[in-house]
Structure formats: structure tokens, C-alpha cells
Amino acid sequence: LRLYIMKGIYASRHRMSKFKSIWRTTGPNETIQLPVSALYVIDWGDGIETSTETSHEYAIAGDYTIKITGVITDFVFNNSGDKLKILEVQQFGGMTEIKSASNGNSSLVYNPSINLLDTSLTQNMIGVFQGDSLFNNSIGNWVLSDCITISAILRETSIFNQNLDSWDVSNVTDTSTAF
């Protein structure tokens, strides 16, 4: 996942919402490293909360729901790191920039509520689902009226077949390799 959020606009125009996701550890004392820079509180899903640590060790293997509350300014896997440990994104929260959200992780599942993602302040959506060959969720309700870039948003999503007719792309100036 590579997600960028501009903190000033987000904090002033949205209530602090959560980025909620499910991660899996497969062995005892395994660490999950979140590739995040943010003003946040992380609930690691095992009774521990932190506001300065971006990695956490789990005593036992299992699936953990991690919630990040606050303003995420940078969430970058860059096609490496713990990208295969994230199983599902259940909630995004408000964002002003989203880049390379799945970045080639075809095992990542998006909650059906992704169609309700608040994109009203989103200005740039670059490679959001690029390389996710199994992505076929409905995203037709996204509000893109303030968006200026949707380059590579669905590039290499070989089975994507959803209706996008309701997207207002009147302000979009860059659609390079969008599909």
C-alpha cells in the first residue's frame, strides 16, 4: 500500500477517521512494520496502542486488526516490506492523495465499503490499484470532482469490470495509463 494524505486539509475538514486493516503473522514473535509517516495513534489489535512506533512484535501468530487514527502523511510499501502480511483493508478514512495502494499485492482484499470511500477532497489518485490483478470492486460512487490526476489508477487490473459512469472527471488533467 502506498497512501499519501495531506495533513492540513484532512485534519481541518474531516473528523479523525480510522485506517483499519487486517494483518497476518505466521510465527511467534513476528514483527509487522507499518510503512507509515503520520500524526497518529496505532491500535495494534492485541491491546497495545502506540503513537511513535511503526513496528510491533506479536507474541503469537494470528490475524490482527490494526487501526490507525489520525493523519497519515505517507504509507508506502514500494512493492516490498510487509506488503504480503496485509490481508484486508476495511476502512480508509478521508484522504487527499492516494498512490499505489495495492502495489502488486493481488492477495489484498478490499471491504465492499471501498465504494463509499470519502474521495471528495482527493486531488491525486496515482496507481491506486496498479498491478492488483484480482481487483474488481465497485468504486463507481467515488466523488472525483476535485481530482486532477488519475494516472495508472487501474493499470494492470486485468479483471476489473465495474461501471465508472458516475465519476465526474471534469477537472482531471492527467489520465496517463489510467487503465
Side-chain angles (χ1 to χ4, degrees):
L1 289 176
R2 182 183 291 177
L3 305 176
Y4 292 88
I5 304 169
M6 294 170 48
K7 52 186 161 182
I9 294 172
Y10 176 86
S12 64
R13 293 186 61 189
H14 286 283
R15 61 182 164 76
M16 293 295 200
S17 56
K18 290 184 173 112
F19 178 87
K20 184 177 175 185
S21 53
I22 298 175
W23 298 66
R24 175 170 291 155
T25 60
T26 56
N29 303 316
E30 186 174 350
T31 299
I32 289 178
Q33 174 70 47
L34 296 178
V36 65
S37 298
L39 303 171
Y40 53 78
V41 171
I42 299 173
D43 174 347
W44 292 97
D46 63 352
I48 304 294
E49 285 190 359
T50 61
S51 60
T52 57
E53 300 298 319
T54 58
S55 66
H56 181 67
E57 185 176 297
Y58 292 90
I60 57 173
D63 292 355
Y64 295 92
T65 301
I66 298 175
K67 300 173 196 163
I68 304 172
T69 303
V71 180
I72 301 171
T73 56
D74 197 3
F75 198 116
V76 182
F77 277 120
N78 202 21
N79 209 20
S80 62
D82 285 344
K83 77 172 192 165
L84 297 179
K85 292 180 184 178
I86 187 168
L87 303 177
E88 181 177 347
V89 175
Q90 295 183 324
Q91 185 175 322
F92 278 94
M95 301 179 192
T96 59
E97 269 193 59
I98 307 171
K99 294 184 180 180
S100 299
S102 58
N103 208 358
N105 183 356
S106 292
S107 63
L108 185 59
V109 174
Y110 296 91
N111 187 292
S113 67
I114 190 172
N115 197 32
L116 304 175
L117 171 64
D118 181 3
T119 54
S120 62
L121 296 176
T122 306
Q123 295 178 348
N124 297 297
M125 296 184 135
I126 301 168
V128 177
F129 304 107
Q130 181 175 349
D132 187 341
S133 60
L134 300 177
F135 181 75
N136 193 29
N137 289 59
S138 175
I139 53 175
N141 287 333
W142 285 8
V143 176
L144 301 181
S145 55
D146 288 334
C147 199
I148 54 174
T149 303
I150 60 169
S151 64
I153 188 170
L154 292 163
R155 184 177 182 192
E156 299 167 356
T157 54
S158 54
I159 66 166
F160 182 80
N161 187 23
Q162 298 292 325
N163 188 332
L164 304 176
D165 287 347
S166 64
W167 280 10
D168 174 0
V169 292
S170 59
N171 290 317
V172 173
T173 59
D174 183 0
T175 61
S176 58
T177 65
F179 307 96

